[in-house]
Amino acid sequence: MMRNILQSNVLGLYFLYGLSFYTMGLAIAMQYRSYSTFRLAYSLSLLAAFGVLHGLSEWGSIFVPIQVPDLGQESVWKMLALQRLLQASSYFFLFSFGMKLAGDTRGRGGGWWMAVPVGALVVWLAFYARFIPLIGSPGLMEWLQLSEVWSRYLLALPGGISAGLALAMQARELRVIGKGALLGSLWGAVAAFAFYAVFSGLIVSPAPFFPASVLNTSLVQSVTGLPVELFRTLVGFVVTFCITRMLAIFDLERQKRLDESHRQQAVLLERQRFSRDLHDGVLQSIYGVGISMQTCNRLLDTDPEEARRRLDSSLQRLNGAIQSIRNYINGLQPAACGHDLAGMVRKVLEEFQQDYGLPVDFYFDQVYRDQVQEQEFEFPPVELVTILKEALHNVARHAHATAVRVTLSTEGKNLLLSVKDNGIGFTIQQPDTWLYPRKPGHHGLRNMRARAASLGGTVLIKTMRGEGTEVRVILPRLQEARSTKQEAGLDAGIGAANSNQ
């Protein structure tokens, strides 16, 4: 009974057979793979062309209306001839896919791989073209059937074999992905193309020459009791299933590239952080120690005690710089300095005055005294202190200033640090306006801006020639004060009596 059902639904098998290959062709065509380094990516367009054309040609076996006399017999013959041409073209692309992929895998570039499938297609076209003078004669249908047999022998059979062998050669490259399911799909596709070569290339309609006179569709029908179209349909489903699953290698490759890109980005960011910390921390400390040592050299004769005190301080700062370098070698962040931002700023200002001899006024407003100093910062305070060090360093080296004023204050939900000098300033395109520091070649300004940005803040500069410069650092507001300390009414003033130095 099953045999009768299959026999009566051969057109349905043609439809499913064509649908499977057409789906495969569309899936391959829609897969974006121009970035891929896999050799398979450069040949898949030929396999996509095979799938689409082969699906259309098989559907032609359904839609060519042989039984409709209104079209005229000659029109039906021409449509059948077109269907045979479409079918042979699909086999040609399959053959070309296998030859190109094999050539790319073996490292033999160039267009030599096209010579064999093109030669086979030319031979078949020469045979096929003989149907033209046969139009209208009784021998036309027989000739069209023979042309299909030769297209399978010349193109489909070697196409299936070459495609299977070429895919088998990709096993080593796919092992790099490390997915066993992909390798399973690869070998499934290899086996499926081998069966395709047999059922679609070797087993043909009966013809009056060997091997078509022996190994043909009638033999399969008599031995198995099933139409050969059923086997071709099953093979088509397996080919489509395995090939579409193999397309996952491009998604995995893209994900691997993204992961590598993220890793490289993380390395780059770490290098930038390392560069900023060295420039703004260690190098500035060493530079300050060098200035202090020069001062010690001048004080040796006039004030030996002060020179000794400065020398001891410089040695301590050198030891701190050495410890920072050790931390970097061990992959550690610079040591945290607690949450006493005002105290940290005072210490930096003391060292600055000692190194450069510039008077510095330090001021923090009443809001900071009453609310801010007892809160936990949303950023490491040492980062803000590092920006302050760089700003003071720029004043000492470039401003030619005689006084500096440092201010800690609040503005809405932001914390502000201002460093203002009375130096020479510099010229900008829009005087007396705030701007972002972007001057090329100056690592200090660039590092300040990058460090503030990493904390969710920004750095602005206001300057004019002859009127000094102000650097303003704006960082996110602090967290709310701890409720327990608010209830206790603790006085959080940080050295209010010493707010100016």
Side-chain angles (χ1 to χ4, degrees):
M1 181 177 179
M2 178 61 67
R3 183 183 307 176
N4 295 332
I5 294 175
L6 292 174
Q7 288 289 347
S8 60
N9 289 278
V10 171
L11 293 182
L13 293 177
Y14 276 125
F15 176 79
L16 294 176
Y17 178 61
L19 179 63
S20 63
F21 281 106
Y22 188 79
T23 302
M24 180 191 73
L26 286 183
I28 295 173
M30 295 175 64
Q31 176 70 44
Y32 180 76
R33 54 187 180 276
S34 61
Y35 60 84
S36 180
T37 58
F38 287 112
R39 289 184 292 265
L40 180 62
Y42 303 100
S43 304
L44 278 178
S45 57
L46 296 171
L47 188 60
F50 159 72
V52 172
L53 293 178
H54 198 48
L56 293 176
S57 69
E58 293 303 320
W59 285 341
S61 300
I62 304 174
F63 298 120
V64 174
I66 300 176
Q67 305 297 329
V68 182
D70 295 342
L71 291 177
Q73 191 65 38
E74 185 173 338
S75 296
V76 171
W77 289 340
K78 289 179 179 179
M79 294 177 68
L80 283 174
L82 179 61
Q83 189 262 346
R84 296 292 188 267
L85 181 62
L86 197 63
Q87 186 181 55
S89 299
S90 70
Y91 296 150
F92 165 74
F93 282 110
L94 177 63
F95 198 179
S96 299
F97 163 75
M99 295 300 295
K100 175 173 169 49
L101 182 57
D104 291 345
T105 305
R106 295 174 65 89
R108 297 177 180 177
W112 69 269
W113 52 269
M114 284 294 293
V116 178
V118 167
L121 180 63
V122 169
V123 171
W124 179 83
L125 286 173
F127 182 87
Y128 171 79
R130 293 185 60 187
F131 91 92
I132 297 176
L134 293 177
I135 294 178
S137 66
L140 176 61
M141 292 302 297
E142 180 181 356
W143 195 256
L144 288 176
Q145 182 175 345
L146 289 177
S147 68
E148 180 187 8
V149 170
W150 281 111
S151 70
R152 292 183 182 276
Y153 281 154
L154 292 174
L155 297 167
L157 177 59
I161 294 174
S162 63
L165 291 177
L167 286 174
M169 297 166 69
Q170 310 310 305
R172 179 180 299 178
E173 192 174 39
L174 260 65
R175 287 193 183 98
V176 176
I177 297 294
K179 295 288 185 179
L182 288 178
L183 279 175
S185 297
L186 173 69
W187 291 115
V190 170
F193 274 116
F195 281 108
Y196 181 87
V198 172
F199 288 105
S200 294
L202 187 60
I203 298 177
V204 296
S205 300
F209 56 84
F210 184 81
S213 58
V214 177
L215 190 58
N216 51 46
T217 56
S218 299
L219 178 64
V220 173
Q221 178 78 35
S222 61
V223 172
T224 65
L226 301 173
V228 73
E229 290 78 11
L230 175 63
F231 297 101
R232 291 174 179 172
T233 301
L234 293 177
V235 169
F237 278 131
V238 175
V239 168
T240 301
F241 175 78
C242 293
I243 292 296
T244 51
R245 287 200 63 185
M246 282 176 56
L247 295 178
I249 63 172
F250 301 111
D251 295 329
L252 293 172
E253 183 186 20
R254 182 167 57 250
Q255 185 60 48
K256 187 176 180 181
R257 282 173 174 263
L258 288 175
D259 293 342
E260 179 64 18
S261 176
H262 292 160
R263 187 192 69 80
Q264 292 178 356
Q265 181 69 14
V267 171
L268 178 60
L269 292 175
E270 183 64 16
R271 286 177 178 174
Q272 291 175 346
R273 184 194 66 81
F274 183 72
S275 174
R276 287 197 306 267
D277 290 344
L278 281 183
H279 179 275
D280 299 344
V282 176
L283 294 182
Q284 300 292 14
S285 297
I286 294 176
Y287 184 84
V289 168
I291 298 295
S292 182
M293 297 294 286
Q294 291 178 0
T295 304
C296 289
N297 188 43
R298 293 195 301 268
L299 293 173
L300 284 176
D301 295 332
T302 60
D303 193 349
E305 288 298 326
E306 177 63 18
R308 185 178 298 109
R309 188 186 68 80
R310 285 176 176 267
L311 182 61
D312 290 340
S313 176
S314 298
L315 288 175
Q316 292 178 3
R317 292 171 65 184
L318 278 177
N319 288 331
I322 292 172
Q323 184 60 47
S324 295
I325 294 175
R326 286 174 176 168
N327 288 342
Y328 286 122
I329 293 174
N330 293 328
L332 302 175
Q333 297 281 351
C337 300
H339 294 285
D340 185 8
L341 179 59
M344 297 164 63
V345 170
R346 282 202 184 90
K347 182 178 179 181
V348 170
L349 298 183
E350 289 175 358
E351 294 176 352
F352 176 77
Q353 291 184 98
Q354 176 180 309
D355 292 340
Y356 298 101
L358 279 176
V360 182
D361 291 332
F362 178 35
Y363 170 80
F364 48 96
D365 63 13
Q366 188 63 37
V367 177
Y368 184 92
R369 290 193 185 97
D370 295 342
Q371 298 180 9
V372 175
Q373 56 187 2
E374 283 297 315
Q375 297 175 11
E376 291 189 1
F377 298 96
E378 292 182 352
F379 56 85
V382 67
E383 296 288 340
L384 182 58
V385 171
T386 303
I387 297 175
L388 172 62
K389 288 181 179 180
E390 178 60 32
L392 292 171
H393 176 74
N394 289 340
V395 171
R397 294 191 61 184
H398 307 297
H400 301 288
T402 59
V404 184
R405 181 181 179 87
V406 176
T407 303
L408 272 175
S409 61
T410 58
E411 184 177 279
K413 294 186 177 181
N414 294 324
L415 176 68
L416 277 65
L417 171 68
S418 171
V419 180
K420 187 174 183 179
D421 64 71
N422 64 348
I424 61 175
F426 55 91
T427 302
I428 59 176
Q429 293 181 352
Q430 295 178 314
D432 199 31
T433 57
W434 293 104
L435 72 155
Y436 292 94
R438 299 176 184 269
K439 195 171 182 180
H442 289 250
H443 295 284
L445 295 177
R446 185 176 63 194
N447 288 348
M448 284 194 297
R449 182 169 179 264
R451 194 179 294 276
S454 69
L455 303 176
T458 187
V459 175
L460 300 174
I461 295 177
K462 190 176 184 180
T463 184
M464 180 180 287
R465 177 67 67 180
E467 296 187 9
T469 301
E470 181 179 0
V471 175
R472 178 173 290 190
V473 184
I474 305 173
L475 295 179
R477 188 72 163 94
L478 311 173
Q479 298 175 1
E480 294 296 326
R482 298 174 181 174
S483 58
T484 55
K485 292 188 177 182
Q486 287 179 333
E487 294 172 0
L490 294 178
D491 181 9
I494 303 179
N498 298 319
S499 62
N500 295 311
Q501 286 189 359

